[in-house]
Amino acid sequence: MPSPARNSLATDIVKRYLHNKAAVVGAVILIVILFGIIFANLLVPSELVTAYNTKAKLQTPNAEHWFGTDELGRDILSRIIYGARISMSVGLIAICISLIGGVALGAIAGYYGGTADNIIMRCMDVLLSIPTILLNISIVAALGSGLQNVMIAIGVSSIPGYCRIV
């Protein structure tokens, strides 16, 4: 008698995921946002983002401007789509910085233990004791203004969380 067919781990994960309605809705929203970010140039002409149109200022949502216009007549939806590109890149780079730094420090502390663990964890305690916004402002003030420095500041302030988990 043949043994019953077993589902793979990936199949089980997909089935469980599809049964969770909130997870599916979140995935759909994330896919729509990523689609809008990737294809922003095709969806929205770039001149709508910066073009001033005083005749169209402060319009309510309509067929031409789905989210309306701002006080300078710029299309709000197109500005959101282009702004999402920057927000997603800041988030992705900051998470990569904190993930790499936190995993590396946590692994070193866990592997060597003893004095190395105490030193690393006390440094993480110091970083955790400082309010995140104050730490971010301090790092940006030390490094200077700019998007790259903001990414570094957010990444560095998130390292203790990953380090503690590892």
Side-chain angles (χ1 to χ4, degrees):
M1 183 166 146
S3 64
R6 293 182 50 138
N7 292 336
S8 69
L9 179 61
T11 306
D12 288 341
I13 291 171
V14 170
K15 282 182 182 179
R16 284 184 171 195
Y17 188 81
L18 292 176
H19 286 295
N20 187 343
K21 288 181 176 56
V24 172
V25 169
V28 168
I29 291 171
L30 183 64
I31 289 169
V32 168
I33 290 171
L34 290 175
F35 178 81
I37 290 169
I38 293 169
F39 298 108
N41 294 335
L42 300 174
L43 295 173
V44 179
S46 59
E47 59 267 0
L48 281 179
V49 177
T50 58
Y52 299 119
N53 183 1
T54 54
K55 293 178 183 175
K57 68 180 183 175
L58 297 175
Q59 286 185 355
T60 58
N62 55 46
E64 187 179 354
H65 305 286
W66 287 9
F67 286 6
T69 59
D70 63 4
E71 64 277 355
L72 298 174
R74 299 173 295 194
D75 185 54
I76 294 174
L77 176 61
S78 60
R79 294 179 62 79
I80 288 172
I81 290 172
Y82 277 90
R85 285 179 152 182
I86 296 170
S87 299
M88 290 294 274
S89 65
V90 167
L92 185 65
I93 300 294
I95 291 297
C96 288
I97 290 170
S98 60
L99 184 67
I100 291 168
V103 168
L105 289 171
I108 291 168
Y111 184 75
Y112 291 107
T115 306
D117 179 33
N118 278 333
I119 291 171
I120 291 172
M121 287 305 142
R122 293 315 68 93
C123 290
M124 295 303 111
D125 287 342
V126 168
L127 287 175
L128 284 170
S129 69
I130 302 170
T132 306
I133 189 72
L134 183 61
L135 182 60
N136 289 341
I137 290 171
S138 302
I139 293 171
V140 170
L143 297 176
S145 62
L147 194 58
Q148 289 177 336
N149 295 338
V150 169
M151 292 178 198
I152 292 169
I154 295 170
V156 168
S157 67
S158 301
I159 286 175
Y162 288 99
C163 185
R164 284 272 183 201
I165 289 171
V166 173

